[in-house]
Amino acid sequence: MQLDFKEIFTAFMILFAVIDIIGNIPIVIDLRKKFGHIESGKASIIAGLILITFLFLGQNILSLIGIDINSFAVAGAFILFFIALEMTLGITLYKTEDSGSMTATVFPLAFPLIAGPGSLTTLLSLRAEYSVQNIIVAVLLNVVVIFIVLKTSSRIERFLGPSGINVIRKIFGVILLAIAVKLFAHNIKTLFELS
């Protein structure tokens, strides 16, 4: 098993931008206020397990319904594009429902906030370009970052302030927009070559 640190870093940055745990700090703070305690470790581990499971089973599910990975990657590029628009323009296109009686640690924090439609789609899109072992390392590194951010969310919010979080969110939005365009261009080209 050979690890490619450039692939790991790129996959890490893409997932970090999509998961947007820094930009979600205000939501985490609200959940803490509503539910009192959030188990940071449990939320991080559950999100990591969902992401890694989907990395392996997602392709089989696609094969079962007759969709190739490049087509899925193109669809994923559109989702990344819209997430990037949300981040840069400060608009909400994807609305989540209230968690109700379910525990905030699992829902909505681990899923769909961390391991949501954007990050799951991104994983399969990344699989079209990168080695699985490099993606797994990138996921695990993100899980560590998620745990640290969840554990210190109150301090981070005080340190950055609302405008600091907003600036970081917009920067990652622009990066994600560029990644979405690259992902779309690469996979649409592959699709035309295959047909």
Side-chain angles (χ1 to χ4, degrees), residues 19 24 37 52 59-60 65 77 84-85 119 130 153 157 164 168 170 175 181 189:
I19 293 167
N24 283 322
H37 177 67
I52 290 170
Q59 198 164 8
N60 295 335
I65 55 177
L85 283 182
S119 49
Y130 302 122
S153 57
E157 190 193 36
I168 289 170
K170 287 189 188 314
I175 292 168
V181 171
K189 187 175 135 199

Side-chain angles (χ1 to χ4, degrees), residues 50-75:
I50 292 169
L51 291 167
I52 290 170
T53 303
F54 195 80
L55 178 65
F56 287 103
L57 296 181
Q59 198 164 8
N60 295 335
I61 294 165
L62 288 180
S63 299
L64 196 65
I65 55 177
I67 299 170
D68 64 275
I69 194 78
N70 295 106
S71 300
F72 195 81
V74 169

Side-chain angles (χ1 to χ4, degrees), residues 85-98:
L85 283 182
E86 281 188 342
M87 291 167 74
T88 51
L89 302 177
I91 55 172
T92 304
L93 300 169
Y94 175 73
K95 294 192 177 7
T96 54
E97 295 173 11
D98 291 332

Side-chain angles (χ1 to χ4, degrees), residues 18 23 35 44 80 89 100 118-120 144:
V18 173
F35 298 97
S44 305
L80 293 182
L89 302 177
S119 49
L120 295 178
V144 171

